[in-house]
Every structure is written in structure tokens, then in C-alpha cells.
Amino acid sequence: DTGVSQDPRHKITKRGQNVTFRCDPISEHNRLYWYRQTLGQGPEFLTYFQNEAQLEKSRLLSDRFSAERPKGSFSTLEIQRTEQGDSAMYLCASSSQGGGETQYFGPGTRLLVL
Amino acid sequence: QKEVEQNSGPLSVPEGAIASLNCTYSDRGSQSFFWYRQYSGKSPELIMSIYSNGDKEDGRFTAQLNKASQYVSLLIRDSQPSDSATYLCAVNSGYSSASKIIFGSGTRLSIRP
């Protein structure tokens, strides 16, 4: 049983560039979540998918952020025109319906915008 | 008022003692409660989940839930240096079984030898 995987693990980019992160959930999990975490804070919810449907988006998710889960398996999170304030750890989690909502986290992608 | 509140710490506990971590939440409709452990630079790791009032024990860990007081706690018995980490309290946000979970800011725990 492989856990949640994320790619890349680290990303350094210049302000204004676009970046894309990938998340592969635990294989039997139909729910997938994206969170953002900055230093000294808990993870903040960004968006959530059930299968391929994006069911909820946080107000934190500005127009520069978009997430997809086209086939209900892996998901991508894209940030366009990155800003220094986007620097954070981006965490993906997955859970199974009927699994008590327990979310299992991937290792995260650490983004640094210069 | 934050939705999930924790004392940021650091909480310093001698090795072998009991560490007590506390959390309060604001949404009375919350039904699921979680404790995650997070080492510096790593992602959160689930320790315990609890859904009904009372205590739930798993090894050295005991989660306690009091929905009337909107209070969740985590006790760590026989604290070890490896328990030094940030502990995140998380609460589901509403009645939907698929609701997002809201995290507190975490309590830093330090176990001193």
C-alpha cells in the first residue's frame, strides 16, 4: 500500500512564473484535498475533490490558482504568475468515502518564490 | 475567534512524564476530531481520530473529547524524546461527511531528557 505521493518535493521559481504540482492519492481513495501551510501555522484548506468533481474551493484560492483531477485519480495544482506570498508548503491529502474522513497526507511540495 | 484554537507552546515535559495537549473548537456541528503530529519540515502524520464523547486510547496516546465544552485533548504517557514535535488539532467543519478539516496552529512539544 503506497501512501500519498507529491511531485516535485521542492520548487524554486521566480516571481511571475507559473508552477504546477502533482499529487497521487492512495489508490482506493476517492477524495483528494489540497492545503497550504506557512511557517508556524497549521495547514489551510484550499480545495477538495470527490472523484473528478471539485466540490469546494476556499476563498484563499485566488484566480491565479487552479486545480484539476481529470480522471478522478491524480490531481494537479497550478499557480499562475507566482508571487512571493505564495511561498509555502503545499500539501495534498486523500481519504476514502466511509473511511471516517481520516485524511492521509503526502510529503508536500515546498515552494519558494524569489 | 479562530475556529480551532491551540496553545502554541512550547510545552516542555520531562522524559517519562505525561504530556497534555489541549484544543478548543467553535463549530458545534463538528463531528470528527483528529490529532496529527508534525516534525519540522515534514508533513502531518495522523496519530488519533475520535468521534464520540469520552476517551479513546491507542498505546501511549489517549484522546479525550467533550462536545458540550467543545474541547479535545491528547495525552501522551511515558513521553519520549521522539515525541518532540508540533501537534496539530483538526476538526471537520460541518455535517457533511466529506467536509474539509480545519487545523489549529499547533502546539510545539519538547521532551527534555
Side-chain angles (χ1 to χ4, degrees):
Chain A
D1 176 33
T2 58
V4 179
S5 61
Q6 292 186 246
D7 184 70
R9 296 289 302 276
H10 304 273
K11 179 71 177 178
I12 300 175
T13 191
K14 292 183 179 179
R15 189 175 52 187
Q17 298 295 304
N18 299 344
V19 294
T20 300
F21 308 142
R22 175 178 170 128
C23 171
D24 287 87
I26 294 172
S27 58
E28 63 269 24
H29 286 183
N30 63 337
R31 294 175 176 164
L32 187 149
Y33 304 78
W34 285 100
Y35 293 84
R36 179 173 67 187
Q37 187 176 25
T38 53
L39 198 62
Q41 300 298 315
E44 295 175 292
F45 171 80
L46 293 178
T47 190
Y48 146 66
F49 291 86
Q50 179 159 307
N51 300 313
E52 64 275 8
Q54 187 174 20
L55 296 187
E56 190 171 353
K57 290 174 60 174
S58 165
R59 288 169 296 175
L60 293 174
L61 215 64
S62 75
D63 291 344
R64 296 185 297 105
F65 288 71
S66 63
E68 295 182 341
R69 194 182 184 199
K71 296 182 180 180
S73 57
F74 73 92
S75 174
T76 58
L77 177 68
E78 181 182 18
I79 309 174
Q80 297 181 326
R81 305 181 304 281
T82 52
E83 301 173 356
Q84 288 184 325
D86 296 331
S87 296
M89 174 81 90
Y90 289 83
L91 293 162
C92 176
S94 70
S95 69
S96 63
Q97 194 166 355
E101 309 159 48
T102 300
Q103 296 182 22
Y104 297 91
F105 283 82
T109 294
R110 187 172 294 281
L111 173 66
L112 177 61
V113 182
L114 301 176
Chain B
Q1 181 189 6
K2 288 185 178 179
E3 294 182 73
V4 180
E5 296 211 43
Q6 298 181 253
N7 188 321
S8 62
L11 175 64
S12 181
V13 173
E15 184 175 355
I18 296 175
S20 178
L21 304 163
N22 304 315
C23 171
T24 58
Y25 61 94
S26 61
D27 185 354
R28 283 194 171 276
S30 298
Q31 299 183 352
S32 305
F33 308 85
F34 307 91
W35 283 99
Y36 286 83
R37 177 176 63 199
Q38 187 172 29
Y39 294 112
S40 180
K42 302 296 185 182
S43 63
E45 171 193 11
L46 180 71
I47 297 176
M48 296 277 291
S49 58
I50 187 167
Y51 305 100
S52 54
N53 281 328
D55 295 359
K56 179 181 177 182
E57 186 174 322
D58 184 0
R60 295 187 297 113
F61 299 96
T62 298
Q64 299 174 318
L65 173 61
N66 184 326
K67 289 186 179 179
S69 300
Q70 296 175 246
Y71 177 88
V72 193
S73 66
L74 179 70
L75 300 177
I76 306 174
R77 290 181 298 282
D78 188 24
S79 297
Q80 302 296 309
S82 60
D83 295 327
S84 297
T86 295
Y87 288 80
L88 297 164
C89 174
V91 177
N92 92 310
S93 65
Y95 291 99
S96 167
S97 66
S99 299
K100 63 181 182 285
I101 56 176
I102 306 297
F103 285 85
S105 297
T107 298
R108 280 190 298 132
L109 174 65
S110 176
I111 307 300
R112 59 182 190 270

